């Protein structure tokens, strides 16, 4: 949640190893907000919601809810496009799940999943476009995950 211009992230330390995933997921929401904001203020920004939607199956619409899910969201053909059912609820959750697995180096989520690879590749390019990357390594953890999933 964001309150008074400050992001509030609450994590349960009893989650053990899963806490790393949750932390990456929640922190990516902040990066995602930056991508969205950058697209508003820069006409030449690489990121756009329209371009993100093109990375999904034709006709797919996010549920825009985590409580009321339409029957079509359970379509098994979507399994190769999304990490899990939660990814189908909202675009921002889809992006956060992609980056959560990329940040933990779980390339298995991307091997034989070219649609997920395309999403991660798009996010990689958008992040490099939106942020000052001076001092960053040539390849970040999430970029290395993508390369590993391609079999490089």
């Amino acid at each position: 949640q964001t309150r008074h211009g400050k992001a509030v992230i609450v994590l349960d330390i009893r989650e053990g190893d899963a806490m790393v995933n949750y932390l990456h997921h929640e922190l990516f929401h902040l990066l995602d907000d930056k991508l969205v904001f950058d697209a508003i203020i820069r006409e030449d920004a690489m990121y756009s919601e329209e371009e993100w939607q093109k990375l999904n199956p034709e006709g797919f619409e996010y549920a825009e809810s985590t409580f009321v899910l339409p029957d079509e969201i359970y379509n098994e053909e979507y399994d190769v496009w999304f990490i899990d059912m939660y990814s189908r609820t909202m675009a921002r959750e889809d992006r956060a799940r992609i980056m959560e697995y990329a940040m933990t180096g779980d390339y298995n989520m991307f091997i034989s999943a070219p649609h997920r690879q395309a999403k991660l590749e798009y996010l990689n390019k958008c992040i490099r476009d939106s942020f000052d990357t001076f001092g960053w390594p040539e390849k970040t953890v999430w970029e290395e995950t993508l390369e590993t999933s391609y079999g490089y």
Side-chain angles (χ1 to χ4, degrees), residues 5 10 21 31 36 40 42 123 128 148:
V10 178
N21 287 59
L31 298 179
V36 171
I40 292 169
R42 284 182 47 222
L123 286 173
R128 289 247 177 219
T148 303

Side-chain angles (χ1 to χ4, degrees), residues 39-88:
I40 292 169
I41 63 169
R42 284 182 47 222
E43 281 186 32
D44 64 337
M46 182 174 289
Y47 176 80
S48 78
E49 289 290 334
E50 294 78 25
E51 289 301 313
W52 179 260
Q53 187 58 39
K54 290 177 185 176
L55 297 169
N56 288 326
E58 189 174 325
F60 173 82
E61 292 183 27
Y62 291 99
E64 299 303 334
S65 170
T66 55
F67 302 106
V68 180
L69 301 177
D71 290 340
E72 56 268 12
I73 206 168
Y74 297 101
N75 184 339
E76 288 181 8
E77 291 176 17
Y78 293 159
D79 290 352
V80 297
W81 297 82
F82 302 94
I83 297 285
D84 58 11
M85 202 61 63
Y86 188 59
S87 298
R88 302 174 197 182

Side-chain angles (χ1 to χ4, degrees), residues 3-48:
R3 294 185 182 159
H4 310 293
K6 294 182 181 174
V8 177
I9 299 174
V10 178
L11 298 170
D12 185 345
I13 62 171
R14 296 171 293 181
E15 293 292 335
D17 293 340
M19 192 169 76
V20 171
N21 287 59
Y22 298 148
L23 182 61
H24 287 301
H25 179 99
E26 296 306 326
L27 288 174
F28 184 75
H29 283 309
L30 300 175
L31 298 179
D32 192 44
D33 290 345
K34 165 73 166 123
L35 294 177
V36 171
F37 177 74
D38 198 46
I40 292 169
I41 63 169
R42 284 182 47 222
E43 281 186 32
D44 64 337
M46 182 174 289
Y47 176 80
S48 78

Side-chain angles (χ1 to χ4, degrees), residues 11 20 35-36 60 63 84 93 99 104 107 112 120 125 137 149:
L11 298 170
V20 171
L35 294 177
V36 171
F60 173 82
D84 58 11
E93 297 304 342
M99 289 304 291
T104 57
Y107 62 88
S112 302
L120 179 54
K125 290 176 182 175
S149 72

